[in-house]
């Protein structure tokens, strides 16, 4: 019997923390082309677990911008099915089940340290991207309740994942090549949830990608260094690893990732200024080596020219508004 090859399943996983800007769109465009060029499917998932940063109305705005630009997806939020199933804040029970499985293997423990405690435990200053945790609470508490008992009202312990000491985790990224990291030197035991039955990004992203059958993960290379931690979760839950493709970010002329200080690069801004979707897609395609400067293209036009070997490995530097006439 012949093996049926697995259908490629990618995803778009925006966080509703504001309006989509050109950096998001460039990554989504490539995600889409990678899936479509191989007859794959795309799932839309809303990653809204970072509550304080969520902006009301952001989801509607993001979906509207993506549709306007010509994006489509086969499953998930906004595809006519049950939207709730694709919103992380509505999936807490699934993350709680995963926490149970990890607890049963003695791979997680409650931690009562505040951010200040963690910082104080550092022997050397660390990049602010991820605080190295020294494992203070690893063997301190019998269970969540006894950890909770030592905290003042209103504070809740976090669940941390036990990272294997000194073990190097490697994977082959289809765009960046081999990447290795010793998580115990970079993050130490990291936070999975800040609630007894909750979940943070690290856990939710793994559980969701696995349950949604995602086998190709395309995202910005700002998440490259988080991937070894996610691989540890995949391994602990006995899940099959996806293919990873981490893409260079869009940065401003100062070399820092695209942000407000670089001017307004939100899709909605260009849209209101009368710039067409084809101009935006064309400009981003040019940055990938798939179009001439100022060409106007739709996403489907791009399917014919899409070629990952032309994509620069350096960040794309966004200069002034090229759409201004
Ligand atoms: N929701 C994340 C973001 O918007 C992406 C997470 C991921 O792709 O793993 O940055
Ligand atoms: Zn602790």
């Amino acid at each position: 019997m012949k093996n049926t090859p697995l259908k490629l399943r990618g995803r778009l996983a925006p966080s509703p923390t504001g309006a989509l800007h050109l950096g998001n769109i460039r990554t989504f465009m490539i995600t889409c082309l990678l899936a479509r060029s191989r007859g794959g499917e795309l799932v839309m998932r809303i990653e809204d677990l970072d509550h304080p940063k969520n902006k009301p109305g952001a989801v509607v705005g993001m979906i509207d911008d993506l549709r306007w630009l010509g994006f489509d997806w086969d499953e998930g939020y906004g595809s006519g099915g049950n939207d709730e199933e694709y919103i992380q804040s509505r999936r807490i029970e699934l993350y709680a089940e995963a926490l149970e499985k990890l607890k049963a293997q003695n791979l997680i423990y409650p931690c009562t340290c505040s951010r200040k405690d963690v910082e104080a435990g550092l022997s050397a200053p660390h990049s602010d991207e991820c605080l190295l945790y020294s494992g203070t609470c690893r063997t301190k508490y019998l269970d969540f309740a006894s950890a909770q008992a030592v905290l003042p009202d209103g504070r809740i312990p976090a669940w941390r994942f036990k990272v294997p000491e000194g073990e190097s985790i490697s994977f082959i990224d289809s765009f960046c090549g081999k990447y290795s990291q010793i998580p115990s030197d970079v993050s130490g035991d990291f936070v999975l949830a800040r609630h007894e039955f909750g979940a943070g990004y690290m856990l939710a992203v793994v559980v969701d990608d696995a349950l949604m059958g995602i086998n190709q993960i395309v995202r910005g290379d700002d998440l490259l260094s988080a991937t070894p931690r996610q691989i540890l979760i995949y391994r602990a839950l006995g899940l099959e690893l996806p293919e990873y493709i981490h893409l260079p970010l869009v940065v401003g002329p100062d070399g820092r990732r695209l942000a407000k200080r670089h001017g307004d690069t939100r899709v909605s801004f260009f849209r209101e200024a009368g710039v067409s979707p084809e101009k935006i897609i064309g400009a981003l395609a040019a940055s990938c080596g798939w179009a001439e400067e100022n060409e106007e293209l739709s996403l489907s036009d791009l399917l014919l020219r899409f070629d990952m070997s032309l994509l620069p490995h350096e960040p794309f530097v966004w200069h002034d508004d090229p759409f201004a006439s």
Side-chain angles (χ1 to χ4, degrees):
M1 225 167 71
K2 251 171 88 185
N3 271 344
T4 341
L6 213 60
K7 198 168 181 88
L8 187 151
R9 287 199 20 121
R11 42 68 156 189
L12 303 174
S15 302
T17 51
L20 294 174
H21 56 71
L22 292 178
N24 308 123
I25 299 303
R26 188 174 188 258
T27 303
F28 286 174
M29 179 181 92
I30 301 171
T31 308
C32 216
L33 293 168
L34 277 160
R36 297 297 184 218
S37 65
R38 281 166 51 191
E41 293 172 343
L42 273 176
V43 179
M44 171 65 69
R45 179 171 76 230
I46 307 297
E47 306 214 318
D48 64 342
L49 289 178
D50 195 0
H51 304 290
K53 287 199 197 149
N54 288 345
K55 300 255 164 35
V59 176
V60 175
M62 286 184 326
I63 298 294
D64 192 48
D65 284 345
L66 288 171
R67 293 259 190 247
W68 177 76
L69 284 167
F71 281 88
D72 62 349
W73 49 94
D74 310 282
E75 189 186 314
Y77 191 95
S79 67
N82 181 358
D83 284 345
E84 305 265 308
E85 279 177 40
Y86 299 91
I87 305 176
Q88 288 191 321
S89 60
R90 309 293 152 81
R91 298 171 56 81
I92 299 298
E93 279 157 41
L94 300 165
Y95 312 137
E97 276 174 36
L99 277 177
E100 271 315 311
K101 285 187 192 152
L102 298 172
K103 195 159 54 163
Q105 298 176 67
N106 193 25
L107 281 173
I108 59 173
Y109 62 89
C111 162
T112 51
C113 300
S114 64
R115 192 182 168 89
K116 264 206 179 117
D117 295 333
V118 177
E119 278 167 4
L122 290 176
S123 44
H126 205 69
S127 81
D128 56 2
E129 179 238 328
C130 154
L131 278 182
L132 178 62
Y133 179 67
S134 64
T136 320
C137 299
R138 226 188 217 226
T139 52
K140 225 176 187 173
Y141 305 105
L142 218 53
D143 52 23
F144 202 86
S146 50
Q148 176 75 79
V150 309
L151 286 176
D153 273 355
R155 274 201 55 210
I156 303 168
W159 283 115
R160 283 190 187 266
F161 183 90
K162 279 186 200 168
V163 164
E165 197 53 46
E167 188 187 340
S168 173
I169 302 293
S170 298
F171 69 99
I172 311 282
D173 183 286
S174 301
F175 185 69
C176 305
K178 184 171 175 178
Y179 184 81
S180 304
Q181 182 195 83
I182 302 176
S184 64
D185 290 349
V186 174
S187 61
D189 297 345
F190 57 90
V191 171
L192 287 182
R194 297 200 178 273
H195 222 277
E196 185 168 10
F197 307 106
Y201 161 70
M202 281 297 176
L203 179 63
V205 76
V206 172
V207 169
D208 284 349
D209 282 330
L211 288 178
M212 294 176 186
I214 305 302
N215 48 28
Q216 183 181 69
I217 293 183
V218 186
R219 58 189 180 190
D221 63 10
D222 52 328
L223 286 166
L224 194 56
S225 68
T227 306
R229 271 168 277 163
Q230 293 173 12
I231 290 176
L232 287 172
I233 304 175
Y234 273 95
R235 193 166 84 178
L237 292 172
L239 301 167
E240 202 168 320
L241 285 181
E243 175 188 14
Y244 284 106
I245 299 178
H246 288 90
L247 301 171
L249 297 179
V250 179
V251 298
D254 57 357
R256 293 160 74 183
R257 76 191 278 180
L258 210 56
K260 281 217 179 81
R261 77 180 89 91
H262 301 118
D264 203 337
T265 68
R266 292 172 307 154
V267 176
S268 54
F269 169 76
F270 297 122
R271 189 174 167 180
E272 278 153 29
V275 180
S276 70
E278 290 76 17
K279 274 203 162 146
I280 298 178
I281 297 295
L284 292 174
S287 82
C288 299
W290 307 327
E292 299 297 328
E293 218 64 55
N294 299 320
E295 252 187 286
E296 298 185 21
L297 292 161
S298 69
L299 277 173
S300 34
D301 295 332
L302 262 188
L303 258 184
L304 302 168
R305 315 183 172 196
F306 165 72
D307 177 354
M308 283 300 277
S309 70
L310 295 179
L311 185 68
H313 279 258
E314 303 74 43
F316 167 46
V317 184
W318 178 256
H319 289 282
D320 277 341
D321 176 3
F323 309 125
S325 41

